[in-house]
Structure formats: structure tokens, C-alpha cells
Amino acid sequence: MQFGIFSVGDVTPDPTTGRTPTERERIKAMVAIALKAEEAGLDVFATGEHHNPPFVPSSPTTMLGYVAARTERLVLSTATTLITTSDPVKIAEDFAMLQHLADGRVDLMLGRGNTAPVYPWFGQDIRQGIPLAVENYALLHRLWREEGVDWEGKFRTPLQGFTATPRPLDGVPPFVWHGSIRSPEIAEQAAFYGDGFFHNNIFWPADHTKRMVELYRTRYAHYGHGTPEQAIVGLGGHVFMRKNAQDAVREFRPYFDVAPVYGHGPSLEDFMEQTPLTVGSPQQVIEKTLAFREYAGDYQRQLFLVDHAGLPLKTVLEQIDLLGEEVVPVLRKEFAVGRPADVPDAPTHAARLAAARA
């Protein structure tokens, strides 16, 4: 099972000091967070894609290419690649290039994003979000697997005999996770292709996550890719830790209250009760994360959000150390207990290359 962190890349004032980092500082901080993730023994770093304030990661492959050059083991991914407003041709070429630069340590999570104005900025209509996601991925899927592609669809100009370059490393396309918070159509899409389904459940109660994951697993089996238990599932989570749980709550509360993603809403206590957010001790994080398996089954990837809402970089790096030293080693051991032998590991380039050659 893979454990890692994801960042949405928000530039948010620190509510305890009033200071707002510069865009350069935030970008450099995201790089430092990725490097710390590898140092701490985590498996994955994922960055979001946004084209609007207060977020900075508008070019994920640029950042991930830079991180690739400074790491050796870390899997580099996205927390969202906007399949609706990005050209599938450009996605195909950018991520194949990144594959080569990172020696295969690359996958990506496709999503529609959650910012309505992005659609017209890139010449699209948000009312066509689901059809765009379906059509654009159908083309992307072919571009990585075929040369001389002929294509005609509704949302982009036709292609005639087009070959995306460079070709995927070793002829193996990057693994794709289809990310969704609430859209069953995206779970269906992931199941149809036999790809991974990432339910970023940081906003939602367990019963909603359970329904979405069960839908994906059932449809994965329906399309003949394996049993429901063999489907490839990823989950999100948001944590803030201190040795003493009360210290964690006291320190994190002002950040939660103004968080761009979900601040100005329910209280911290209500949100922790209703969602996967865990603010407390490392042991509390372990217990709550292990409980995900009770309603999502055995799954392959767990990503934590740790740098949101203006937290100082020093504090974020302390969170990653706690994950690496106290939380993830226990989770690795406990999630392995009782895990059926036929439940696959998280896909890697090496494993998928070996399967293709076999």
C-alpha cells in the first residue's frame, strides 16, 4: 500500500501572524514538502492543478519535473489534472515527457476541478463537464496506446494520423486515477477502463464514500477487470498532529476556521466527526485512518493533506516527520494484516512493465 501527501497549493495568510507568503515562497515550499516526503519514507507526492487565486500550481508537470530531478524514489502524481479544460494531446505529451525524465515514477489523477470560471477561460462550458471528461479521456487513452490516431469528437478539432511524442516510457502509459468527490459518472469511467478510482473524501461522511467506492468496485468487476476486491482504490485525508491532542486542536483551530477549501462552515469538532479530518495525536490519526478500511475495503493509496490554510512551512515539515516516524509505519503493518493475497498492490511503472512483458 502506498502512503503520501497531496497539496492544493493555496497561498493563504497565516491567521496567527497575518503574513501572506509570496507565490515564489509557496512554490518553493511545495518543493520542500515533496523532498521531505521522500526523506520521511513516504511513497507519493501529488500536486493539484489550479488556474485561479489563491492557488499557485498552474503547471504540475513543471513542478514534478523539478522534483523528479531532486528525488530518487518518490512517485510523482497530481491531485487533479484538469481533463475537462486541458487538451488531451498536451496531457499525453507532457506526462510522457515527465515519465522519461522521472524514470517511470509518474502517474496522474484526472478530475474536473471545482472552480467554475476555469471553463470559459479555456474555452469550455461547465455544463459540459461530464461529457468533456468522458470524451477527452477517450482520446487521451488512445494517444498513449496508438500511433497515427484518427479522431473526431465534439469538443476539439479533428486529428488525422496524429502520433503524440514522446511515446510513453517502455510503451507503458502512466497509470491513471480518476478522481471524484461526488460524481458517479467518473466512478463508472474509471471502472470501464480498469483504471484507478480516487475518492477525495476529505469533505464527505463515511456513508457517501462507501457508496462511491462500492459503485466503482461493482462496475470494475462488471467490465471484466477482476473481482470487486481487486479494483484499485485511493482515498484522501487531512491531518494535523501534535503529541498532545489538545495542543493539536488549539493550534490548528485558527487555520481551519479560515481554510479556503472548507473554512467558514461547520465547527472543527463537527467537521472531524462527519469527515476524515483528524486533528489530534498520531495515535488518533492511526485509528481513524485504519477505520477507512471498514467502509472502503482494502485499498491501494492513502494521501494526506498537511499544508493547507496558511500553515507555516516549518509546521508542515513537522507533520511529515510525524507521518514518517510514527503514523505510516504502523499503518503499513496494520493494513497488511488480513489483506487477501489477491488484492493487488498500488500500480507502479516497474510492475506494469513486467505485466506487459509477461
Side-chain angles (χ1 to χ4, degrees), residues 95-179:
F95 279 88
M97 176 68 77
L98 182 58
Q99 256 196 323
H100 286 273
L101 292 172
D103 298 323
R105 295 183 289 124
V106 173
D107 57 37
L108 70 161
M109 187 193 309
L110 299 178
R112 293 180 293 138
N114 60 2
T115 308
V118 171
Y119 284 79
W121 294 343
F122 289 87
Q124 301 296 348
D125 183 344
I126 192 172
R127 294 171 295 182
Q128 298 297 319
I130 293 293
L132 275 163
V134 171
E135 180 177 300
N136 284 353
Y137 184 60
L139 174 55
L140 175 60
H141 191 269
R142 288 187 60 191
L143 290 172
W144 275 333
R145 292 164 174 81
E146 302 175 28
E147 299 182 9
V149 172
D150 295 327
W151 170 267
E152 185 170 351
K154 179 179 179 182
F155 298 110
R156 76 171 321 280
T157 54
L159 297 173
Q160 294 183 342
F162 179 79
T163 299
T165 58
R167 304 304 299 151
L169 178 64
D170 301 318
V172 177
F175 184 76
V176 169
W177 302 82
H178 298 259

Side-chain angles (χ1 to χ4, degrees), residues 210-292:
K210 184 175 187 291
R211 288 194 299 271
M212 291 289 286
V213 172
E214 285 184 348
L215 170 64
Y216 161 67
R217 290 186 183 279
T218 299
R219 300 302 290 170
Y220 181 95
H222 168 80
Y223 289 115
H225 301 298
T227 66
E229 294 74 22
Q230 292 171 325
I232 308 299
V233 174
L235 296 178
H238 189 176
V239 300
F240 185 84
M241 294 172 285
R242 290 302 185 202
K243 298 291 185 180
N244 182 288
Q246 291 179 331
D247 291 340
V249 171
R250 182 174 59 254
E251 183 176 348
F252 187 68
R253 187 182 302 279
Y255 296 95
F256 172 85
D257 288 345
V258 300
V261 170
Y262 44 54
H264 312 285
S267 70
L268 174 59
E269 286 75 12
D270 286 346
F271 209 83
M272 283 197 291
E273 181 180 351
Q274 297 169 17
T275 77
L277 174 66
T278 312
V279 180
S281 67
Q283 183 59 37
Q284 287 174 313
V285 170
I286 290 168
E287 291 172 0
K288 191 160 187 176
T289 305
L290 288 174
F292 294 174

